[in-house]
Amino acid sequence: MTTLNQRPLGDSGLEIAPLVFGGNVFGWTADEQASFALLDGFVEAGFDAIDTADVYSRWVPDHVGGESETIIGKWLKARGGRDKVKIFTKVGADMGQGRNDLTASWIEKAVEDSLRRLQTDYIDLYQTHWADPLTPQEETLRALDRLVKAGKVRAIGTSNHTAEQVAEALAISEREGLAAYASIQPHYNLYSRDTFEGPLQDLAVEKGLGVITYYSLESGFLTGKYKTVEQIAGTSREHALKDRFDERGVRILAVLDGVAQRNEATSAQTALAWLLAQPGVTAPIVSATSTEQLEDIVKAGALSLSADDVAELTEASAY
């Protein structure tokens, strides 16, 4: 097993290797057998954090949510070594209630469902998935604080919340003496920069929050697999990626390819290494549906770009 430098996830008390596996594929584009192989390969490569959510993969016909957590739970039971990995999951997405739900009563129910599916008695990082405009943040934070005090959750974080919402939550926790968000999970990568840069990144750096980025490769756009919009015509990627092949997107891909070649790396590895060099970023969330994809991506954890490489990519991806 490879040993990688551990990075502190804010002041959560958790330290993680520099990539997090995104578990949305488990039970969706990766069946149970493939998921086990991916998890085994990820851990064998020296990584130790897995991110999922209760709602994964409710969008698939005949799925109800919880499929990803269930597979991770089966894997944990089969492999043992619960203390060797950190499990991150989320609460608050619509699981049939018809809304994003961060009420205390829902959180109390949802955490028990997640613990049961994951076959564990604690969650390392429990994250509020989406903002719930109908529920005061103080109610949500008091419910999460009770979970931390009960030992069911080690640390709390948030995803898809604005800088203003995160700042308000941190102020409430400080004022009321409650557990505080230690991390945020924004959409962020070399192509989508304004989804994090600005007030949210400034807040993360100022408050020392851990940052785990999702869509770290912009749904495959930054892997370099597709060079032109014509290459994705008629594929499953066409709808998601066709708008990326604007002048800026094509420029990013060209510079990314050049920097990758200079470093004897792939575009995916290079795009992830750029993320790891950004202020505040703890670890990008990455995903794969095959062991071949995984073997490529995990090499990013050991790739260090020069300051010139980072600057060139930053300049190429400017809006």
Side-chain angles (χ1 to χ4, degrees):
M1 182 185 289
T2 308
T3 302
L4 293 159
N5 290 334
Q6 296 279 302
R7 299 159 76 104
L9 186 67
D11 61 3
S12 66
L14 303 172
E15 292 194 338
I16 60 173
L19 296 174
V20 177
F21 198 103
N24 63 323
V25 297
F26 302 146
W28 174 30
T29 48
D31 63 16
E32 186 174 310
Q33 183 179 357
S35 299
F36 274 38
L38 290 165
L39 286 163
D40 288 342
F42 190 68
V43 171
E44 187 58 36
F47 298 93
D48 57 358
I50 301 154
D51 180 80
T52 186
D54 56 2
V55 75
Y56 299 165
S57 50
R58 195 170 181 270
W59 56 86
V60 178
D62 300 323
H63 283 206
V64 295
E67 288 80 12
S68 172
E69 289 182 334
T70 298
I71 284 179
I72 294 168
K74 289 180 178 179
W75 176 77
L76 285 172
K77 185 176 182 184
R79 299 295 186 263
R82 169 68 182 91
D83 59 335
K84 302 290 196 296
V85 292
K86 285 91 175 182
I87 302 297
F88 305 166
T89 193
K90 308 182 204 74
V91 62
D94 181 5
M95 289 283 282
Q97 315 95 298
R99 54 169 282 215
N100 296 330
D101 192 346
L102 292 176
T103 58
S105 58
W106 177 253
I107 289 171
E108 286 158 12
K109 175 189 183 302
V111 74
E112 298 301 335
D113 291 340
S114 287
L115 288 167
R116 186 187 71 253
R117 288 188 291 257
L118 289 164
Q119 299 194 49
T120 183
D121 55 6
Y122 68 95
I123 292 162
D124 294 282
L125 181 70
Y126 201 41
Q127 303 158 97
T128 49
H129 202 160
W130 299 94
D132 170 4
L134 302 178
T135 302
Q137 288 213 75
E138 184 172 337
E139 177 182 337
T140 299
L141 290 163
R142 287 192 182 281
L144 294 171
D145 182 70
R146 288 192 289 272
L147 298 182
V148 173
K149 286 188 168 70
K152 294 178 179 181
V153 169
R154 291 179 67 188
I156 60 171
T158 189
S159 175
N160 300 304
H161 281 52
T162 65
E164 292 77 13
Q165 289 165 333
V166 177
E168 180 193 0
L170 294 174
I172 291 168
S173 292
E174 184 172 9
R175 185 185 74 228
E176 302 297 326
L178 303 172
Y181 290 139
S183 66
I184 57 174
Q185 186 178 139
H187 172 188
Y188 184 47
N189 57 57
L190 196 54
Y191 183 88
S192 292
R193 290 176 52 185
D194 57 2
T195 45
F196 174 57
E197 292 178 9
L200 190 57
Q201 185 177 35
D202 294 345
L203 181 68
V205 171
E206 178 195 345
K207 299 294 187 181
L209 299 173
V211 179
I212 50 177
T213 62
Y214 75 87
Y215 286 165
S216 303
L217 293 173
E218 193 65 9
S219 299
F221 178 71
L222 296 170
T223 62
K225 180 179 179 182
Y226 310 104
K227 305 291 188 188
T228 66
V229 71
E230 287 77 23
Q231 284 181 302
I232 60 168
T235 72
S236 60
R237 296 282 180 179
E238 183 175 14
H239 178 71
L241 298 183
K242 63 182 179 182
D243 293 340
R244 305 295 184 272
F245 288 93
D246 53 10
E247 183 182 345
R248 176 173 168 268
V250 171
R251 181 176 71 243
I252 290 170
L253 291 182
V255 174
L256 183 59
D257 186 51
V259 174
Q261 288 190 35
R262 199 157 62 228
N263 285 275
E264 299 182 344
T266 64
S267 291
Q269 293 161 12
T270 306
L272 293 170
W274 178 85
L275 270 178
L276 281 163
Q278 298 312 301
V281 173
T282 309
I285 297 171
V286 297
S287 209
T289 54
S290 70
T291 52
E292 291 77 23
Q293 287 178 353
L294 183 67
E295 286 166 6
D296 172 38
I297 288 171
V298 295
K299 291 174 184 169
L303 176 61
S304 183
L305 298 177
S306 70
D308 286 346
D309 290 336
V310 173
E312 187 176 346
L313 290 165
T314 302
E315 183 180 343
S317 59
Y319 288 99

